[in-house]
Amino acid sequence: MPVHRVHPDVSVLSDSLEVPGIGHIPANAFVLHAAQPVVVDTGLGLPDRDFLRTLSTALDPADVRWIWLTHPDRDHTGGIFALLDAAPQARVVTTFVGAGIMSTEHPLPMDRIFLLNPGQSLDVGDRTLTAFRPPLFDNPATVGFFDDRTGVCFSSDCFGGPMPSAELAEGPDARDLAPEGLHDAQVFWASVDSVWLENVDARKFQDSWQLLRERAPELVLSTHLPAASGITGRMIDTLSAVAGLAPFVGPDQAALEQLLAGFEPAGSP
Ligand SMILES: [Fe+2]
Ligand SMILES: [Fe+2]
């Protein structure tokens, strides 16, 4: 898992997952090097991943004060309990719904939770972080935020896009993919992650991008995209136009069996 210092105040802990037929989906976590250090999401939970070890290359896990869980999907919670153990002062920033979802499998200790809703702010010592609901999301607990000091936006699943290679997916810069490729990847991801788009009113959906347009962050950090610097306007133009998008439908059982048959070694019956 490469770690990229994409901004003086931000480290990206890069990871990715290959999904047949889709590509290499980035699965990042982040460190915001604030006076009270913030870890944003905690990566994949695969047994060969060691989130704490990767995190240690960016800062001492014991110093972490906040774990901002943008939503409790499993690609965001991999290292959360190991980090809670390693960082005795850390509290998990989430919503009532987020804590509720976590309680269905492995409850977060009540005294380690900090509930924050979109529109509210968190003081992390040298700056405030203002929570917002990104326009694209796949989970009702989703809360991203703006760092009010640097303007950097942490957008959770929004702005994601599968990459053609693991190298690109775990690379430092979304601009390494050509603009047309990035456009298509982000629209495709929107059809996978936000399957409700076919039902939305186009004008209301456009309005949901207003806060991002006003804030105009120079740097956008998505869990599912390499760091995106200097292309916010273009990305918003791409994604604010996807109202009505048909949802992705994955392979069914017959297609899966056909796919698997293609993997059988030569000479097998
Ligand atoms: Fe998600
Ligand atoms: Fe995700």
Side-chain angles (χ1 to χ4, degrees):
M1 289 174 64
V3 175
H4 307 291
R5 191 83 176 226
V6 296
H7 181 281
D9 290 0
V10 181
S11 298
V12 181
L13 316 182
S14 302
D15 197 359
S16 68
L17 202 60
E18 184 178 11
V19 179
I22 289 184
H24 297 260
I25 302 175
N28 304 316
F30 307 95
V31 177
L32 177 63
H33 299 276
Q36 299 173 9
V38 184
V39 170
V40 184
D41 291 330
T42 58
L44 303 173
L46 292 166
D48 64 344
R49 303 308 204 265
D50 187 340
F51 183 75
L52 280 186
R53 202 177 61 186
T54 305
L55 180 64
S56 301
T57 67
L59 89 171
D60 182 347
D63 293 338
V64 174
R65 292 289 300 278
W66 302 99
I67 304 167
W68 190 300
L69 178 60
T70 68
H71 64 292
D73 284 352
R74 288 181 169 194
D75 50 329
H76 300 248
T77 58
I80 195 165
F81 290 103
L83 181 53
L84 276 170
D85 285 346
Q89 295 187 85
R91 293 174 75 176
V92 177
V93 181
T94 184
T95 65
F96 185 75
V97 171
I101 292 170
M102 290 298 288
S103 76
T104 63
E105 184 175 329
H106 190 156
L108 293 163
M110 283 304 287
D111 60 343
R112 307 295 301 275
I113 289 174
F114 189 92
L115 297 186
L116 196 78
N117 288 319
Q120 295 184 314
S121 294
L122 178 72
D123 186 338
V124 295
D126 58 350
R127 69 196 74 195
T128 57
L129 311 179
T130 297
F132 80 116
R133 176 173 294 123
L136 294 168
F137 58 89
D138 69 350
N139 184 301
T142 301
V143 184
F145 66 91
F146 296 94
D147 172 354
D148 297 323
R149 177 161 158 174
T150 63
V152 175
C153 173
F154 293 81
S155 70
S156 193
D157 282 4
C158 188
F159 294 104
M163 298 284 124
S165 71
E167 193 186 4
L168 277 170
E170 298 179 18
D173 194 337
R175 291 172 299 186
D176 289 340
L177 193 63
E180 319 80 63
L182 184 59
H183 171 279
D184 293 352
Q186 289 186 307
V187 171
F188 176 74
W189 178 251
S191 79
V192 173
D193 201 60
S194 302
V195 292
W196 41 265
L197 279 165
E198 64 175 347
N199 301 319
V200 304
D201 176 89
R203 182 170 304 178
K204 281 190 178 171
F205 183 66
Q206 274 282 354
D207 290 348
S208 72
W209 294 86
Q210 194 54 36
L211 180 63
L212 269 162
R213 287 191 194 279
E214 285 167 9
R215 289 262 190 165
E218 173 69 17
L219 176 61
V220 171
L221 299 167
S222 165
T223 312
H224 303 304
L225 193 77
S229 181
I231 54 172
T232 304
R234 166 154 63 89
M235 296 197 302
I236 292 175
D237 288 347
T238 297
L239 290 173
S240 62
V242 295
L245 188 66
F248 170 76
V249 178
D252 62 10
Q253 184 59 28
L256 177 66
E257 286 173 14
Q258 202 173 19
L259 194 73
L260 293 175
F263 291 148
E264 275 177 19
S268 62

